[in-house]
């Protein structure tokens, strides 16, 4: 991890509903601590993100539609410069918008040039008795490609 990466904020992309967004807040705080990012911005659709930012649980929040996510769902993405500048302002981008082969993730990787990681947010097992809480599963999935121990930040 470089000083440039740790001196920039972390962007977490999340499209889930209320309960999933609450879980993403805990996850975002753990990743922020693990990578040493100066702040964490949660881009989500849920009003819970605004609530969390107002209470200091995360540093800032943005609406997925306002930040121009629609540009990355196209086969031939051509986002305007202000959208690119927004994404390039982050040292880390972590997406919970689907699996690694999703079109949006291929486009974000190609266009932003940032340290980009995606995690499929669906549980490894579809059972109430899954062996690990979903946020722990997310951390485990992220730790290997990031090369850092995010798991120690999850309590």
């Amino acid at each position: 991890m470089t000083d440039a990466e740790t001196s920039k904020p972390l962007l977490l992309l999340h499209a889930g509903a209320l309960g999933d967004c609450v879980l993403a807040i805990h996850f975002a705080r753990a990743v922020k601590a693990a990578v040493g990012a100066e702040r964490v911005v949660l881009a989500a659709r849920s009003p819970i993100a605004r609530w969390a930012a107002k209470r200091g649980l995360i540093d800032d929040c943005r609406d997925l539609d306002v930040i121009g996510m629609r540009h990355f769902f196209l086969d031939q993405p051509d986002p305007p410069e202000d959208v690119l500048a927004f994404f390039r302002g982050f040292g880390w981008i972590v997406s919970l918008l689907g699996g690694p082969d999703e079109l949006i993730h291929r486009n974000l990787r190609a266009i932003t040039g940032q340290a980009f990681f995606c995690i499929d947010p669906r549980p490894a097992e579809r059972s109430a008795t899954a062996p690990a809480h979903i946020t722990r599963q997310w951390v485990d999935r992220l730790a290997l490609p990031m090369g850092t121990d995010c798991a120690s930040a999850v309590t």
Side-chain angles (χ1 to χ4, degrees):
M1 167 178 3
T2 68
D3 288 341
E5 287 169 335
T6 58
S7 66
K8 288 187 173 183
L10 168 111
L11 175 64
L12 179 67
L13 304 170
H14 190 278
L18 179 93
D20 290 342
C21 194
V22 169
L23 296 174
I25 292 165
H26 180 67
F27 175 72
R29 291 170 53 119
V31 176
K32 175 187 175 185
V35 302
E38 69 177 25
R39 23 188 320 257
V40 63
V41 176
L42 176 60
R45 286 201 176 99
S46 175
I48 256 318
R50 288 189 299 281
W51 174 87
K54 286 179 184 175
R55 280 146 189 84
L57 299 174
I58 55 173
D59 299 301
D60 197 4
C61 70
R62 300 295 162 98
D63 185 280
L64 287 171
D65 295 325
V66 173
I67 64 171
M69 289 302 298
R70 67 186 175 282
H71 297 287
F72 298 100
F73 285 95
L74 304 172
D75 287 331
Q76 299 291 321
D78 188 21
E81 191 54 42
D82 64 323
V83 171
L84 291 175
F86 173 78
F87 282 94
R88 290 178 178 154
F90 294 91
W92 304 87
I93 299 174
V94 178
S95 174
L96 291 165
L97 299 177
D101 296 325
E102 302 284 339
L103 176 65
I104 186 172
H105 292 149
R106 292 194 309 267
N107 288 338
L108 280 166
R109 264 190 225 101
I111 290 174
T112 64
Q114 303 310 95
F116 179 80
F117 305 92
C118 59
I119 302 161
D120 191 334
R122 295 169 287 209
E125 295 182 20
R126 299 223 182 258
S127 163
T129 59
H133 191 276
I134 189 64
T135 53
R136 179 57 189 238
Q137 291 177 32
W138 293 347
V139 165
D140 290 346
R141 291 176 190 169
L142 183 61
L144 184 60
M146 267 190 153
T148 186
D149 181 17
C150 300
S152 64
V154 176
T155 56

